[in-house]
Amino acid sequence: MTRLPTEFPDFGLTPEQRREAVRGHYYEWPGMDGSSGEIWCYSDRFSYRPGETVVLHVSSTAPQFGIVVIRDGGSETKVFEKTGLSARWQETPDQCSVEGCGWEASFEFRIGNDWPSGAYRVTLSAEGRDGSPIHSHHLFLVAPLPGKKPGRLLQVAATGTWLAYNTWGGSNHYQGITGPNRDQYATMVSTQRPWCRGFVVLPKEAPRVPLEVAVPPKTVPRYPHMEWAFATGHSKKYASSGWASYDSHFFRFAERAGYQIDIASQHELHFSPEILDGYDCVAFVGHDEYWTWEMRDAVDNYVERGGRAARFAGNFMWQTRLEDEGRRQVCYKYRARAEDPAYRGGDVTRATNSWEAPEIGRPGSATFGLNATRGVYAGWGGCAPRGVRGFPVYRPEHWAFAGTGIYYGDLLGADSHVYGYEVDGLDFEIRGGLPYPTATSGAPDGLQVLAVGMASQVEESADIPIEDQFLTDEDGRFTAETLFGEASDANLDKVKRGDGMIVNFPRGKGEVFHAGSCEWVAGLLRQDAMVERVTKNVLDRYLGRDKKGE
């Protein structure tokens, strides 16, 4: 087993700065780089098909810029380059996170008919005010054309979650500059703004959320990822979402392992659900927290008809709605029952609350077998900081574990830390040394629990004062109120102990495999052979490869 350091990494911050890194609200905004100058851009859409035109909206302190577009897959391929393009500084509304930036179009280019589906990284470069270079990064997806794709895999990028965490402009679904006191999170966020720093590209040394520290007793929790973000000028949420931290690691692994893989945004699931029909297997990975009703319909219908869904992802928590042709995402979250119009004469099943809210009537387990409200935090803050780093395996004989040599009671992916920082689970019981979902868990018929680890919705420690806790019991009390109508201590006690699971179940003519952890991709990033083997077992079975002896 890997020996962990016993001290937190030091990024040169004072204690006050460390506190600000965690408690403070800092974000990217136009004009933030002042004397050095800056350049930003966004595209009119998340994704395009071959032959369509990308419209870039650029705001720059420099009058000219250059652009390089690289396909970011198993290898990097430059597909487009141009210099000497004209730019200007464009005024940005104060509430751009909510309303969109409204910048005029600066440059257009056409997606080549021969550009393969994938994620395309845009790097803009210009000369700063002091003569030194300035850069920014953007990302768009090229989705596949319709049609049957035998043997090909489709990855659906967690773009709803990217949007929810994007800090650019000051507001997202977590913190913000909305409301009368400019201190509330935004219940609506716009696609028409740049991605925050760290969502598109990251250096290798950027910390992930789960702690890589053997935390000494009675230690006040620390959050190295936020400290690093504060110290290096990255988004506070870089490690919570985005292409660079999550979706990219699965896509690159799949291409390097020889899979033919395409990618689409969740907007395709919502507006063009037929995109799934061409594929035997569809994969969802990383931190994948925000979904619309229509996105779920697309997956449920696909699986019922014989499709296979492989979800290596955690935290299936919130229902969203899309407005303005998909340019705005709505999620009232904790304020839904008080503020969401769906509760005042609207369709309450479409309320942007947790999927497990009884009035919505569609728990996450109905689609992917697991519920976010029965899982959540592991391996950071005061939530199991010294807990298991991998999945404790209970059914090693299952086909997903073939060729791993794993035993009952072993930890899958502990060395690469695949368990955390947010996990999904079910209420369960142990019978004869094996886990079974309880009768009231909401588990689909035929669901098998393959692995279970512990998680928590509450930071609990008699040794750590409440003011030194970041997560506290806020989410636990919200879950208690959501499920049982009141955030009382008694109800909190019913929900605060969670779990993370790997499950498998049939549905209609299809099948679902779900490793319910955000950090599964860390095992692919860190080339953990056992995690890679399980991933391949699932993909090979769902693509029909295992029948061909490939």
Side-chain angles (χ1 to χ4, degrees):
M1 295 290 285
T2 312
R3 286 193 75 82
L4 296 175
T6 54
E7 292 184 12
F8 288 100
D10 182 2
F11 304 111
L13 302 180
T14 65
E16 292 73 24
Q17 288 173 319
R18 289 208 304 263
R19 192 169 181 83
E20 177 66 14
V22 177
R23 311 277 165 170
H25 182 40
Y26 47 99
Y27 50 89
E28 303 84 340
W29 47 276
M32 65 182 291
D33 291 340
S35 58
S36 60
E38 58 201 62
I39 184 167
W40 305 103
C41 91
Y42 61 92
S43 51
D44 59 325
R45 283 156 45 196
F46 281 165
S47 57
Y48 306 86
R49 304 283 175 99
E52 293 183 337
T53 297
V54 179
V55 180
L56 287 185
H57 303 257
V58 180
S59 181
S60 173
T61 53
Q64 287 195 318
F65 70 97
I67 179 174
V68 176
V69 181
I70 286 171
R71 183 179 182 276
D72 185 0
S75 56
E76 295 194 349
T77 313
K78 187 190 293 185
V79 295
F80 185 82
E81 186 171 19
K82 201 165 176 80
T83 55
L85 298 166
S86 294
R88 64 182 178 85
W89 187 251
Q90 305 211 45
E91 289 306 312
T92 306
D94 173 62
Q95 294 296 321
C96 60
S97 307
V98 179
E99 303 161 9
C101 289
W103 300 342
E104 289 181 6
S106 307
F107 178 61
E108 298 181 359
F109 61 93
R110 187 176 168 278
I111 304 281
N113 292 328
D114 58 344
W115 290 23
S117 177
Y120 287 77
R121 188 170 78 229
V122 179
T123 302
L124 303 189
S125 303
E127 188 177 298
R129 289 180 169 133
D130 57 3
S132 57
I134 52 174
H135 306 282
S136 70
H137 298 288
H138 183 60
L139 189 89
F140 63 86
L141 306 177
V142 173
L145 292 168
K148 289 297 283 181
K149 307 283 195 317
R152 291 187 77 84
L153 170 67
L154 180 68
Q155 176 179 342
V156 178
T159 44
T161 304
W162 299 2
L163 192 51
Y165 280 89
N166 184 13
T167 50
W168 204 95
S171 296
N172 57 21
H173 287 333
Y174 291 84
Q175 288 180 290
I177 55 170
T178 65
N181 299 321
R182 294 177 60 82
D183 62 354
Q184 293 185 342
Y185 67 81
T187 56
M188 297 184 188
V189 288
S190 175
T191 64
Q192 304 299 293
R193 55 181 170 142
W195 291 119
C196 56
R197 287 174 174 165
F199 268 31
V200 177
V201 65
L202 279 173
K204 281 192 166 55
E205 70 272 12
R208 300 188 69 77
V209 179
L211 291 170
E212 300 303 330
V213 178
V215 183
K218 301 187 180 183
T219 302
V220 172
R222 295 254 308 263
Y223 303 87
H225 66 287
M226 287 190 263
E227 293 180 21
W228 181 87
F230 189 85
T232 60
H234 284 79
S235 168
K236 184 180 185 178
K237 296 297 189 186
Y238 84 87
S240 301
S241 186
W243 171 254
S245 278
Y246 289 99
D247 310 66
S248 63
H249 301 310
F250 181 87
F251 192 80
R252 291 177 195 144
F253 158 78
E255 285 208 330
R256 288 169 186 160
Y259 293 94
Q260 303 296 306
I261 183 169
D262 297 331
I263 198 165
S265 75
Q266 285 181 308
H267 274 59
E268 267 83 39
L269 282 192
H270 184 97
F271 293 110
S272 311
E274 67 280 358
I275 195 171
L276 301 182
D277 295 343
Y279 295 87
D280 295 321
C281 178
V282 178
F284 307 88
V285 307
H287 191 183
D288 188 18
E289 187 177 359
Y290 291 81
W291 284 60
T292 65
W293 186 278
E294 291 81 359
M295 293 169 192
R296 286 189 65 177
D297 281 350
V299 175
D300 288 347
N301 294 335
Y302 164 78
V303 174
E304 286 282 352
R305 293 193 303 265
R308 298 164 190 97
R311 181 173 159 89
F312 305 98
N315 197 20
F316 193 75
M317 178 62 94
W318 301 107
Q319 174 163 229
T320 62
R321 296 192 299 269
L322 296 181
E323 296 182 352
D324 190 20
E325 300 177 321
R327 285 185 284 268
R328 194 162 55 235
Q329 175 170 289
V330 179
C331 196
Y332 284 84
K333 297 181 66 169
Y334 307 109
R335 311 202 310 254
R337 283 180 176 160
E339 297 179 26
D340 191 334
Y343 284 96
R344 295 191 299 278
D347 179 356
V348 75
T349 63
R350 302 301 181 95
T352 57
N353 204 328
S354 165
W355 284 113
E356 279 79 75
E359 61 271 22
I360 292 175
R362 198 177 188 184
S365 57
T367 295
F368 287 121
L370 299 175
N371 290 325
T373 55
R374 286 297 175 189
V376 191
Y377 305 118
W380 69 302
C383 295
R386 305 177 193 89
V388 292
R389 296 159 54 87
F391 277 101
V393 172
Y394 281 87
R395 289 185 167 91
E397 71 285 354
H398 188 271
W399 56 260
F401 302 131
T404 61
I406 205 162
Y407 292 89
Y408 175 87
D410 278 358
L411 293 178
L412 170 65
D415 283 348
S416 56
H417 208 162
V418 302
Y419 187 79
Y421 73 102
E422 292 179 337
V423 296
D424 293 346
L426 291 170
D427 203 21
F428 72 100
E429 56 197 14
I430 297 284
R431 300 200 303 268
L434 292 173
Y436 296 88
T438 60
T440 56
S441 67
D445 290 344
L447 179 134
Q448 272 199 307
V449 180
L450 312 182
V452 187
M454 294 160 77
S456 175
Q457 292 206 40
V458 172
E459 281 192 294
E460 278 190 307
S461 173
D463 300 318
I464 309 297
I466 192 84
E467 62 269 18
D468 286 329
Q469 297 175 21
F470 172 59
L471 298 165
T472 65
D473 63 2
E474 218 170 285
D475 284 345
R477 290 196 184 273
F478 169 76
T479 299
E481 192 266 331
T482 300
L483 298 183
F484 302 112
E486 189 189 351
S488 64
D489 288 353
N491 287 337
L492 178 65
D493 196 59
K494 295 177 191 172
V495 304
K496 67 184 182 183
R497 290 170 285 270
D499 57 83
M501 290 182 170
I502 301 176
V503 297
N504 175 222
F505 61 97
R507 176 169 189 162
K509 296 177 180 172
E511 190 176 338
V512 175
F513 178 92
H514 186 182
S517 170
C518 291
E519 289 296 304
W520 186 269
V521 294
L524 305 177
L525 166 66
R526 292 164 177 160
Q527 299 181 311
D528 184 319
M530 207 177 272
V531 174
E532 290 182 339
R533 181 62 196 256
V534 173
T535 308
K536 289 177 181 177
N537 286 345
V538 175
L539 299 181
D540 289 350
R541 177 183 172 94
Y542 285 3
L543 291 168
R545 281 182 167 203
D546 58 347
K547 296 182 185 71
K548 299 171 188 167
E550 290 179 18

